Amino acid sequence: MTTPQTVSDLQALLDDAGQVMNQRGTPSFGETSAGDYFILPDRYGSMNEMLQHAYNWEPYDYLYPNDWSICYIPIYNANYCIEMLEKISHSSNPAAWDNVKGSAHFFRAYYFLMLSWVYAKAYDESTADQDLGIVLRLTSDFNVPSKRSSVRESYNQVIADAYQSISYLPDYPLHPFRPSRMAAYGLLARTYISMRNYDSAFKYADQYLQLKNDLINLNGDEDLGPSSSTYKFKQFNKETAFYTEMNANGTISLLLASRSRIDTSLFAAYEPGDLRRTYFRMQNGYPIYSGSYSAGSRQFTGIATDEIYLIRAESNCRKGHLEEALADLNSLLSHRYETDLFQPVRASSKEALLNRILLERRKELLMRGIRWSDVKRLNKEGRNIILNRSINGQIISLEPNSSYYALPIPLDVIQLTGIEQN
């Protein structure tokens, strides 16, 4: 046992991928609140009260462990590393010092964004100063009281930390568990598209794709798993820039193959010839998803090249650059469809192309912890996405821009800190 004090100690702290920094988990609460799956009646009846409330979009009191607590642990480690580096000479080992510095700022930005997607309202330029965001813990001193920042302050901190990380990180990581400059570009592209700032989303998606643009070809690729496997991809495949998984201690049990079935209308959107249909296996007529880049039952939530192609395509489309948007969309889809059946998408109008890109975004990024933030931002633009659940013959709906889109904060956090509940 030791108190981390050297640069190598701090790097080891950030390399604790399994227990803290990567695989302990990003939030599951958002994905389990989104509308891409459903629970069969017999399974619903066997679930505990907490899961039923989460599935029904009903506020409820829940305690540790949860998404909130899981995300603030890597943030704590990042804060500790940033503080300790101030006591260590940069000249002692410049490359290692820089990697710790850049990684700590990246991790803090990454988890602040995940928390903002789940526990804050969608970013709205007109109300961002008044809307409640998350708690921005910028110190490892637990004696400093927690308070909620505004949505604008929350997103500004994500952007500031991501920018800071770019100055110190290498272009490519030693391993996808580690941050890199390309991952920071991807993180900024993610951040800006969730803010509906499409100029900046394009800028950073483009910078990412200048460093990394290879895609897995579903017609045959070394990164595909064996044909006998339930899971379709190898872990740490060529598309993965930064690797995280969804929190196993939250509401993720709603997404387990033993419980969840994929929305049948969404499954029907995978056309004949679309090889992504092989991500699903059928059970009693309902599709079960098994296409995670984790190569297992856990859900991959990291930054990958397919997502960045879609961000650049959407941003270009919204900016009126339709040919460039089509080029990115067709580059991706040509790797997803059977070669002989692939027909390049053509744009009849800007709106038609945008609708197709958003559909492909939903299909391609299924179960990655992204859909909840997409529904929130798209409803801010008047898409009028209404989520529905059928429970005991009754349809329960979550209306666009409902207050519940900022999900409830754990009760023990409210009691300990006195911060305002959503």
Side-chain angles (χ1 to χ4, degrees):
M1 300 293 289
T2 185
T3 301
Q5 295 180 334
T6 67
V7 172
S8 60
D9 288 341
L10 300 179
Q11 184 64 65
L13 199 63
L14 297 177
D15 282 341
D16 187 5
Q19 294 300 313
V20 177
M21 304 305 292
N22 302 77
Q23 293 177 291
R24 185 77 177 271
T26 59
S28 60
F29 204 173
E31 192 65 52
T32 56
S33 300
D36 286 345
Y37 75 102
F38 64 95
I39 303 293
L40 293 169
D42 60 331
R43 290 294 182 183
Y44 176 82
S46 68
M47 295 189 315
N48 64 41
E49 186 177 2
M50 183 195 78
L51 293 178
Q52 289 185 354
H53 279 300
Y55 187 67
N56 297 347
W57 306 302
E58 294 176 343
Y60 64 97
D61 293 333
Y62 65 104
L63 306 171
Y64 177 91
N66 49 62
D67 289 335
W68 181 278
S69 61
I70 291 297
C71 287
Y72 278 105
I73 297 172
I75 290 169
Y76 175 89
N77 280 7
N79 285 331
Y80 181 86
C81 290
I82 291 168
E83 292 163 0
M84 288 300 298
L85 281 177
E86 295 177 0
K87 304 175 184 179
I88 301 172
S89 170
H90 179 266
S91 61
S92 62
N93 191 335
W97 195 100
D98 284 353
N99 197 70
V100 170
K101 176 77 168 177
S103 297
H105 281 284
F106 177 93
F107 276 115
R108 192 165 73 178
Y110 190 81
Y111 283 99
F112 278 158
L113 180 63
M114 299 297 101
L115 287 161
S116 297
W117 280 1
V118 173
Y119 294 105
K121 290 183 178 180
Y123 188 92
D124 186 325
E125 186 63 35
S126 63
T127 62
D129 289 315
Q130 293 77 47
D131 291 337
L132 286 173
I134 60 169
V135 173
L136 295 173
R137 298 293 304 179
L138 302 177
T139 174
S140 65
D141 183 356
F142 56 80
N143 293 300
V144 175
S146 291
K147 62 181 182 67
R148 292 189 73 174
S149 302
S150 70
V151 167
R152 187 184 304 279
E153 289 169 334
S154 300
Y155 276 85
N156 282 349
Q157 185 62 51
V158 171
I159 292 167
D161 275 326
Y163 280 157
Q164 182 87 316
S165 72
I166 288 170
S167 302
Y168 294 95
L169 290 170
D171 285 346
Y172 303 98
L174 291 177
H175 188 279
F177 280 149
R178 284 191 175 186
S180 62
R181 185 171 290 130
M182 69 175 176
Y185 291 147
L187 176 58
L188 282 166
R190 264 188 176 183
T191 303
Y192 280 119
I193 202 165
S194 66
M195 297 171 70
R196 294 180 291 135
N197 181 335
Y198 299 110
D199 286 334
S200 295
F202 165 81
K203 174 182 177 181
Y204 290 103
D206 187 62
Q207 290 191 6
Y208 173 105
L209 291 169
Q210 289 179 33
L211 291 173
K212 183 178 178 66
N213 58 24
D214 42 351
L215 292 164
I216 298 170
N217 191 333
L218 298 187
N219 289 280
D221 197 287
E222 62 185 4
D223 282 330
L224 295 174
S227 57
S228 59
S229 173
T230 301
Y231 304 103
K232 302 304 175 185
F233 299 99
K234 293 180 180 178
Q235 198 176 33
F236 312 126
N237 59 61
K238 65 170 64 71
E239 290 188 16
T240 303
F242 179 68
Y243 188 95
T244 54
E245 293 175 354
M246 202 175 287
N247 174 21
N249 292 313
T251 55
I252 196 172
S253 56
L254 286 168
L255 303 179
L256 296 177
S258 60
R259 284 199 174 109
S260 70
R261 302 294 181 267
I262 297 302
D263 177 83
T264 52
S265 61
L266 173 58
F267 177 68
Y270 294 89
E271 306 166 316
D274 188 339
L275 292 168
R276 291 172 295 187
R277 289 178 67 91
T278 63
Y279 297 177
F280 305 89
R281 55 188 173 89
M282 304 301 292
Q283 188 173 94
N284 298 324
Y286 296 114
I288 298 173
Y289 178 70
S290 58
S292 173
Y293 282 6
S294 71
S297 59
R298 295 285 295 274
Q299 301 300 343
F300 167 79
T301 58
I303 296 169
T305 304
D306 56 346
E307 177 188 354
I308 308 303
Y309 267 102
L310 288 163
I311 290 175
R312 192 168 72 174
E314 181 181 344
S315 300
N316 263 325
C317 182
R318 291 179 181 275
K319 288 154 58 73
H321 303 158
L322 303 192
E323 290 303 316
E324 292 89 342
L326 278 169
D328 278 339
L329 180 61
N330 284 320
S331 290
L332 175 63
L333 295 183
S334 67
H335 289 75
R336 300 303 189 244
Y337 277 70
E338 291 183 41
T339 301
D340 294 341
L341 297 178
F342 174 63
Q343 296 292 327
V345 176
R346 306 188 190 283
S348 58
S349 68
K350 177 180 176 180
E351 186 63 22
L353 178 55
L354 179 59
N355 289 339
R356 179 62 184 270
I357 291 170
L358 292 176
L359 174 62
E360 294 302 333
R361 181 174 169 86
R362 187 181 178 194
K363 291 159 60 181
E364 181 70 21
L365 307 180
L366 181 62
M367 295 296 176
R368 291 203 198 171
I370 293 172
R371 179 61 181 170
W372 185 244
S373 67
D374 274 356
V375 172
K376 291 164 70 167
R377 73 174 171 98
L378 293 172
N379 276 338
K380 281 289 183 179
E381 298 181 346
R383 290 267 160 183
N384 197 36
I385 301 170
I386 300 174
L387 304 182
N388 296 300
R389 308 278 204 211
S390 177
I391 300 171
N392 298 324
Q394 179 184 1
I395 300 297
I396 298 174
S397 299
L398 186 64
E399 296 295 325
N401 304 313
S402 162
S403 61
Y404 192 81
Y405 275 106
L407 290 166
I409 295 170
L411 176 63
D412 47 358
V413 173
I414 301 297
Q415 292 173 334
L416 288 166
T417 65
I419 62 174
E420 185 175 345
Q421 178 62 280
N422 285 327

